[in-house]
Amino acid sequence: MPQSTNPLVAVDIGNSRIKLGRFDREARSRELPEPAATLELPLSSQAGDFDIERLATWCREQMTGQADWLISSVHRGATERLVAAVAALGEQLGRAWPLRQIAFVDVPLVVEVDAPERVGLDRLMGAVAADRLRPPDRAAIGVDLGTATKLCLLTEVGAFVGGAILPGLAMSARALEEQTDVLPRVDVERWRRPPLPLGKSTVPAIESGIFWGAVGAIRELVTQFSTSLSPPPVVFITGGGSQLVAEVLAEDASLDLRYLPHLVLSGVAIVDAAGNR
């Protein structure tokens, strides 16, 4: 099958936001594909609603003609709404925008877990990208700080063998507010630097616990995953809450760490390339 030269819109639909990236297919290479433009659409309801006008504006600016869409999703309601919005917008603009959803059978990885078809596609897309980047014969750990914080281990031969899932930063902040009588919610998305470890009042103490608790959990899980691995794995960190955590973890000289904000979208683009040969 000849390769399409239309731009690719890779989509990562999570539980709290939709991330889109436009990839220029002419720039195919063995290096990790990087989006030429991105958009994040927060979900405004549990049903999966989002700002359709922001999506329309971005599409008009980024795609002047044909484009192919490929979706990785863990949220059915948001997927339904996005598919309908893209179809309506494409028809309105008179553009052909074929859209396809990734299924487990599309994933170019060996998945060695108890129920491989039930692994979240966001975890698998991050693993696909990490597998492309890891050195030969060296394991890799993917860390994705999204709605949940997810760690995944790839062996030195590129097999996905499982990982760990824990509450994300914003989820932890929300739980402390909702499950207590007087604790306030803190806005983790406003952080521009790591909170001080020692909180002198309630809000700084919550911020410290959420942030440094996440750092400690990630560091310990990486250590546990790495116990039987030599050389130690490369750690790839991504996700909406990852930049500050990555900066702190990068100070640990024992970690071979890389921060890649669009790792999951890059995984979607790799799956597209594998299926478009």
Side-chain angles (χ1 to χ4, degrees), residues 6 9 13 16 21 39 67 76 94 98 103 122 138 194 204 236 255-256 276:
N6 295 334
V9 182
I13 302 179
S16 59
L39 175 68
R76 289 170 293 182
D122 52 348
R138 191 168 174 192
F236 300 100
L255 294 179
D256 184 354
N276 193 38

Side-chain angles (χ1 to χ4, degrees), residues 100-151:
R100 184 170 69 88
Q101 295 184 51
I102 295 173
F104 173 72
V105 295
D106 300 317
V107 178
L109 284 177
V110 175
V111 183
E112 298 177 351
V113 298
D114 291 341
E117 70 283 355
R118 298 188 65 182
V119 178
L121 283 173
D122 52 348
R123 299 174 71 198
L124 293 175
M125 292 303 99
V128 166
D131 188 50
R132 169 71 67 88
L133 288 174
R134 67 179 181 85
D137 302 321
R138 191 168 174 192
I141 295 174
V143 182
D144 185 350
L145 285 92
T147 306
T149 296
K150 297 148 290 197
L151 291 88

Side-chain angles (χ1 to χ4, degrees), residues 118-211:
R118 298 188 65 182
V119 178
L121 283 173
D122 52 348
R123 299 174 71 198
L124 293 175
M125 292 303 99
V128 166
D131 188 50
R132 169 71 67 88
L133 288 174
R134 67 179 181 85
D137 302 321
R138 191 168 174 192
I141 295 174
V143 182
D144 185 350
L145 285 92
T147 306
T149 296
K150 297 148 290 197
L151 291 88
C152 302
L153 177 62
L154 285 169
T155 67
E156 64 277 5
V157 296
F160 179 103
V161 292
I165 302 174
L166 57 151
L169 301 177
M171 183 185 294
S172 297
R174 185 167 61 251
L176 282 174
E177 180 204 24
E178 293 176 352
Q179 301 299 319
T180 63
D181 186 32
V182 296
L183 289 182
R185 183 183 301 187
V186 299
D187 185 357
V188 302
E189 295 190 0
R190 296 184 63 183
W191 290 344
R192 296 295 177 264
R193 59 180 62 87
L196 294 174
L198 183 63
K200 293 289 190 178
S201 61
T202 300
V203 168
I206 294 172
E207 293 180 327
S208 171
I210 291 172
F211 181 84

